[in-house]
Amino acid sequence: MQTLALALSALVVLAALSVVGVDAGRLITYPPHISTKRGSYIVEFERHIPHTHVDKFHAMSDIVVDNHYTKAFNGISVSANSHTFDPLQLARFEGVNRVWPVRFYRPAVNLSSLNASADLYLHHVTGVERALTELGLNGTGVSIGIVDSGVDYMHPELGGCWKTPGCPWQRGEDLVGDKYDPASADPIIEPNPTPMDCDGHGTHVSGILAGRGPHVHGVAPGATFGMYRIFSCPVGGQQVQASDALIIKGIEAAFQNGHDIISLSLGSGSWAEDPLSIICAQAVEQGVVVVAAAGNDGMGGLYTASAPSVGAGVISVGSVDNWNITALSGTVTSSQGTQSIVLSPSNSDKYPFDFDSDTPLALPSSDNSNILGCAKYTTDMTGKIALVERGVCRFDAKLKNAYEAGAVGVLCYNNVPGYFAATLSQSMPIPIAGTTNEYGAYIASALAAGNVTIKAPKDNFGLFAAATGGQVSEFSSIGPSPELAMVPLISAPGGNILSTYPRKLGSYASESGTSMATPYISGTVALLKQARPDLSVNGITRLLVASGKPITHLRTGLKASPFESGAGLVNIYDAITSRAELDPPTLSINDSKVGPITGHAEFESLGTVRWAARTISIRNTDSKKSMRVSLDNKVANSLSSMLANGSYAYTPRIWPADGVSKPAADTLPRVHSLDADKLVAPGQSCSVTVFVVAPTGLKDSEHWYYSGFLEFTLQWDGEQTSSAYVVPYGGYNGNYSAQDVLSPPSEGLPAFVDIESGNPIEDLSTLVIGTNETVALVYGLAIPSRRVDITYVDSASGKTVGNPPDGNIQYSERSCPQCSIPFHSIVLSKFASVAGNRSEPSEVPAGKYHIHLKALRPFGDIDNDDDYQTWDSEDFIIS
């Protein structure tokens, strides 16, 4: 019922976002919670349509063509002149492939703090150090286009120049200006002469690529760069946003300027059919390497990887935590002495955690005597900072309860190892900071012995060893894609990364996010292209993935799932010096068979299993030496978003649950092969067929996603050492195309909700829906769905009348209590878009009706009712 509770608290907001739903054909409609620009659309032309096709749209009196895309994307973006414009007019044009509403994207960044202390260990473990020093590479001759918030190009560690001879910044432009407000009905776009950064994100990204020291050492400082500014200045303390129409313009400009690599530290949505995914896939087809952030919604579990990283051929990047972090520091004083602790600021900088003098710390005293801060305090906390543990309730609730008790701040310590940043949906007039589980336990112990104070002056920093260094970052989004493709593909340092920042904002910052891991991978690609300029985009991807280093999970002792980490941590030295190519780079097991493995007597003893056969091609690129091939299966954790009782797991569930007891063999995936031991002549290839067997000891009803790594050990003649190459694999432990799409019944959804009171409507027999929009249908999706269709059905005749507004939706994302989308909802009224005339809602005749909801299962046929999961409500009245 947690999802229903969340839904009730936010329905009034969603009601204000409601727009009219339309056909499920070429005109794509988003769920009402998606932030879109009213009356603005992206129109994709079919590939063969000439650029002059735009003239027909210029001739339309009720729209304005804002952008014409002709390079990596064939299409336009338009704005309507009136609120009554019907976007179906666009979809009905000959030569139009798809039409989307313009939506907004954010940078994939998590937290920020300031300091300037060089840390080069991350370059050591990723092979960057060896590539720079032993191979003499630095990205020279490679051009990288960055689409972001701009860059402080005058920063001394970024060249201090713009488009002058010898300057690293030779291309780029400002496409947005400083006045752009995405919340405005008519945002102001007034580009500046240069893409100077006033937000910070783009400058931070740039330092990871281009930093020249002494504090920030970029991965590819010798490359040539272009900055295409699409994020403006922050408005009202909110995180910057940009429309996909504007981002496409930036990608088009980078493509037109001939960059070898386009780096995108941004994301939203989850489908390869999103417009950004499509333009990036088309850029890849034309030979440009596109690197994109997987996203920062990892706490939401599976299916949180974002577009455009899920696009075909795009290198999707996950994040690992840095081994050392530069962070804000506080000094704790108690009877046990003094102790410096790390402080992670929240996502709101309106009330910073600044305490210039010693301020008392105290544990909350609440009615249930917990230390979580989730209940109202029963003691006065005036002048004190509340020490609370992370978990159970949202950070907003912890802050609100402390504030109402008189506290001047909240220090929240983690309930698991590692660092985190509190994410607030609304600000309170007191600050909150996070610290580690270890520091929290230390303070709690000191409080038990007496008084404890903390002093945290502004801009007070320290260098701390990270307990989770090299582990997958907690925030890093998790795959697979909605169609079970492997995302992310590779991981890089992205948690607590020191880099450059605009001089006006402090010159340096430590930030976290897949935004930081993305330029790191872009830089490694530049080193690879410099060393091996003839590689294709696919060849680059294959080498990056095959040379990845799987990450050992701290708790289980198995490898972290490829759905979290891709091939693991990048090692660019091994990619550059590789003497073998493996294809395909990943295996997505989405077509398993159930039964004995047929045709091979050696496997008869396995009995009935869920299995799939795949063939890997391995080419020996050494021109002189033969290569010996052997195979091992490196098992990874299995993941689920469900508990054993069928309800949501509020953090991704992992099997095995711990590393204490050895898991039963039948709970782990197995790999068998008959031809893995081979000798391959110089310049020749071999094929290895593998049979991947899903875990038989894990229940289908618990929705497990199993995974691992095919580890090929390759040894060349006359050499004592061997090299390991990996092919990540993963699949669903069940019939993927038959699983339920709707949220489990334990969530109390679907449900009818009174918008004004926020209360569920239990008895629909008394419900009357009229002109006033006061009732919403709230529903959840356990997995993404390509189509959700909600209709009014006449209960007397059984005939479908039509869709209520927003009742026909394409490419919906998964929802869950910890996801960025906790639920889906539509507002109900007496109007419906009738079949054959969906553009204009009509009044539904008075009578008794019920809702019929259907959600398309994975790989389902949109025209086959048997491929949908359905739900029918009880009867109600439309007056």
Side-chain angles (χ1 to χ4, degrees):
M1 298 295 289
Q2 289 284 346
T3 302
L4 179 56
L6 288 169
L8 301 181
S9 65
L11 273 174
V12 175
V13 175
L14 285 182
L17 298 175
S18 180
V19 293
V20 175
V22 289
D23 272 338
R26 291 183 292 178
L27 180 56
I28 307 303
T29 53
Y30 292 132
H33 64 266
I34 296 295
S35 178
T36 61
K37 184 179 178 184
R38 186 178 179 87
S40 296
Y41 303 91
I42 294 172
V43 182
E44 179 193 23
F45 300 152
E46 294 174 359
R47 289 286 189 92
H48 66 277
I49 295 297
H51 298 155
T52 54
H53 196 61
V54 70
D55 294 340
K56 297 180 180 181
F57 294 85
H58 280 299
M60 295 177 66
S61 61
D62 44 4
I63 64 167
V64 174
V65 177
D66 299 317
N67 297 291
H68 184 198
Y69 312 117
T70 61
K71 305 301 178 185
F73 185 74
N74 189 17
I76 56 177
S77 67
V78 304
S79 297
N81 291 326
S82 73
H83 293 307
T84 60
F85 175 74
D86 182 1
L88 271 177
Q89 297 179 54
L90 303 172
R92 288 169 177 160
F93 260 96
E94 182 182 357
V96 168
N97 193 25
R98 277 170 290 205
V99 178
W100 300 268
V102 168
R103 71 184 294 176
F104 291 99
Y105 283 69
R106 289 187 171 91
V109 66
N110 225 35
L111 65 91
S112 174
S113 59
L114 307 181
N115 196 24
S117 175
D119 173 26
L120 297 178
Y121 183 71
L122 70 171
H123 287 347
H124 173 74
V125 292
T126 57
V128 168
E129 180 182 77
R130 295 188 71 186
L132 296 174
T133 58
E134 296 180 23
L135 303 180
L137 303 171
N138 64 2
T140 296
V142 180
S143 180
I144 304 174
I146 308 167
V147 181
D148 215 292
S149 69
V151 59
D152 184 353
Y153 47 80
M154 294 307 294
H155 196 293
E157 297 202 35
L158 295 176
C161 56
W162 179 254
K163 293 186 178 180
T164 56
C167 180
W169 302 97
Q170 289 296 323
R171 301 182 181 92
E173 59 184 301
D174 186 355
L175 300 170
V176 64
D178 296 346
K179 301 177 181 178
Y180 181 82
D181 181 359
S184 171
D186 188 19
I188 299 171
I189 298 180
E190 294 179 355
N192 298 315
T194 63
M196 180 57 75
D197 187 9
C198 54
D199 171 66
H201 187 266
T203 300
H204 195 279
V205 162
S206 298
I208 294 168
L209 275 164
R212 298 184 168 194
H215 301 302
V216 178
H217 298 266
V219 178
T224 300
F225 300 95
M227 174 58 73
Y228 302 87
R229 185 180 179 222
I230 47 86
F231 292 119
S232 187
C233 303
V235 177
Q238 300 296 310
Q239 188 181 21
V240 293
Q241 297 183 74
S243 70
D244 47 9
L246 196 55
I247 298 170
I248 291 174
K249 189 173 183 180
I251 296 171
E252 278 267 304
F255 181 88
Q256 186 172 10
N257 279 339
H259 291 291
D260 302 300
I261 304 162
I262 297 176
S263 189
L264 300 169
S265 291
L266 50 83
S268 185
S270 63
W271 287 86
E273 289 79 6
D274 285 353
L276 288 194
S277 297
I278 289 171
I279 184 177
C280 289
Q282 291 178 2
V284 168
E285 285 181 11
Q286 298 179 68
V288 177
V289 181
V290 180
V291 184
N296 296 339
D297 291 320
M299 288 302 291
L302 295 147
Y303 296 108
T304 52
S306 63
S309 81
V310 295
V314 176
I315 298 176
S316 175
V317 184
S319 170
V320 301
D321 285 347
N322 200 351
W323 292 260
N324 298 300
I325 71 163
T326 301
L328 288 169
S329 175
T331 301
V332 173
T333 302
S334 70
S335 60
Q336 301 177 14
T338 61
Q339 173 70 51
S340 293
I341 69 167
V342 66
L343 298 172
S344 299
S346 72
N347 64 327
S348 173
D349 56 6
K350 189 173 183 180
Y351 298 98
F353 197 87
D354 296 340
F355 295 92
D356 292 329
S357 59
D358 288 313
T359 305
L361 283 157
L363 292 169
S365 176
S366 55
D367 291 337
N368 57 357
S369 301
N370 65 40
I371 59 170
L372 295 164
C374 294
K376 290 187 179 297
Y377 293 15
T378 55
T379 57
D380 185 10
M381 294 287 288
T382 301
K384 299 176 182 178
I385 297 171
L387 177 72
V388 302
E389 185 181 11
R390 183 184 184 186
V392 178
C393 62
R394 291 176 174 265
F395 295 114
D396 297 275
K398 295 178 188 289
L399 201 60
K400 181 175 182 291
N401 290 331
Y403 172 69
E404 291 178 349
V408 294
V410 171
L411 179 61
C412 183
Y413 64 92
N414 211 345
N415 53 2
V416 294
Y419 302 93
F420 75 99
T423 301
L424 303 172
S425 59
Q426 57 187 3
S427 63
M428 295 288 292
I430 61 172
I432 183 172
T435 193
T436 66
N437 177 274
E438 294 79 9
Y439 288 132
Y442 169 82
I443 297 171
S445 174
L447 282 169
N451 296 329
V452 181
T453 63
I454 185 171
K455 185 177 182 180
K458 181 181 180 181
D459 295 346
N460 184 51
F461 307 99
L463 188 65
F464 299 85
T468 56
Q471 293 290 295
V472 176
S473 300
E474 179 182 70
F475 56 77
S476 191
S477 287
I478 304 172
S481 77
E483 296 180 341
L484 213 55
M486 186 71 71
V487 284
L489 284 179
I490 193 73
S491 294
N496 304 298
I497 304 300
L498 174 74
S499 188
T500 50
Y501 222 55
R503 291 162 298 148
K504 292 182 178 180
L505 299 177
S507 294
Y508 301 93
S510 180
E511 293 196 341
S512 293
T514 51
S515 273
M516 288 63 251
T518 297
Y520 202 98
I521 292 297
S522 297
T524 64
V525 171
L527 301 180
L528 183 54
K529 284 190 70 71
Q530 180 188 4
R532 303 175 69 166
D534 295 332
L535 282 172
S536 66
V537 176
N538 289 338
I540 288 170
T541 300
R542 287 196 294 266
L543 289 183
L544 275 182
V545 172
S547 58
K549 307 305 174 191
I551 298 163
T552 300
H553 193 275
L554 278 179
R555 194 170 82 234
T556 68
L558 299 183
K559 301 302 180 184
S561 170
F563 291 131
E564 296 178 290
S565 66
L569 182 64
V570 66
N571 190 297
I572 194 58
Y573 179 86
D574 285 358
I576 292 168
T577 58
S578 170
R579 289 180 286 168
E581 292 182 357
L582 282 67
D583 191 47
T586 66
L587 300 180
S588 294
I589 314 297
N590 55 16
D591 57 351
S592 299
K593 300 176 181 179
V594 177
I597 299 179
T598 56
H600 301 278
E602 297 87 342
F603 301 144
E604 288 180 358
S605 62
L606 295 175
T608 298
V609 291
R610 189 182 305 278
W611 63 278
R614 294 289 190 272
T615 299
I616 309 295
S617 172
I618 306 175
R619 187 165 76 92
N620 179 9
T621 59
D622 192 304
S623 61
K624 297 179 179 180
K625 296 182 179 182
S626 294
M627 176 185 74
R628 173 67 64 183
V629 178
S630 61
L631 170 64
D632 191 14
N633 176 34
K634 297 296 184 181
V635 177
N637 296 331
S638 292
L639 303 176
S640 177
S641 293
M642 299 292 178
L643 298 174
N645 64 7
S647 61
Y648 276 128
Y650 279 74
T651 57
R653 188 178 172 205
I654 296 175
W655 179 264
D658 57 58
V660 177
S661 54
K662 186 177 180 179
D666 66 353
T667 65
L668 306 175
R670 289 168 284 172
V671 173
H672 301 274
S673 179
L674 297 176
D675 55 2
D677 189 3
K678 293 188 174 184
L679 184 67
V680 184
Q684 299 302 305
S685 300
C686 72
S687 294
V688 176
T689 298
V690 296
F691 298 87
V692 180
V693 178
T696 56
L698 296 180
K699 296 178 180 179
D700 289 8
S701 60
E702 296 184 18
H703 303 280
W704 290 103
Y705 292 73
Y706 64 88
S707 59
F709 299 84
L710 305 180
E711 184 178 83
F712 291 93
T713 299
L714 309 182
Q715 188 165 12
W716 282 264
D717 282 350
E719 299 181 9
Q720 297 298 315
T721 58
S722 59
S723 300
Y725 293 75
V726 299
V727 176
Y729 68 86
Y732 175 70
N733 195 43
N735 186 340
Y736 188 64
S737 60
Q739 65 176 313
D740 285 346
V741 180
L742 297 175
S743 296
S746 60
E747 299 304 310
L749 300 178
F752 286 74
V753 176
D754 181 274
I755 295 175
E756 293 181 359
S757 68
N759 295 322
I761 301 171
E762 304 290 352
D763 184 5
L764 296 189
S765 65
T766 61
L767 174 63
V768 178
I769 295 176
T771 304
N772 295 330
E773 298 180 339
T774 61
V775 178
L777 175 69
V778 180
Y779 64 97
L781 297 178
I783 59 175
S785 178
R786 191 153 58 91
R787 183 182 180 188
V788 175
D789 192 54
I790 301 169
T791 53
Y792 286 136
V793 178
D794 187 315
S795 296
S797 66
K799 294 183 179 179
T800 297
V801 175
N803 300 101
D806 297 318
N808 190 290
I809 303 156
Q810 294 83 49
Y811 303 111
S812 287
E813 300 162 41
R814 173 180 176 246
S815 57
C816 77
Q818 295 287 88
C819 298
S820 57
I821 303 166
F823 62 90
H824 298 270
S825 75
I826 65 167
V827 177
L828 302 178
S829 72
K830 65 184 299 182
F831 296 94
S833 298
V834 181
N837 185 28
R838 293 185 182 274
S839 60
E840 303 226 355
S842 303
E843 188 169 323
V844 176
K848 184 178 290 187
Y849 296 86
H850 67 269
I851 288 286
H852 178 70
L853 185 156
K854 63 179 185 178
L856 189 65
R857 301 182 194 272
F859 303 118
D861 181 350
I862 201 168
D863 295 319
N864 184 355
D865 282 345
D866 292 338
D867 288 345
Y868 289 82
Q869 182 185 0
T870 62
W871 174 85
D872 289 278
S873 76
E874 297 175 358
D875 291 346
F876 54 87
I877 301 296
I878 294 181
S879 65

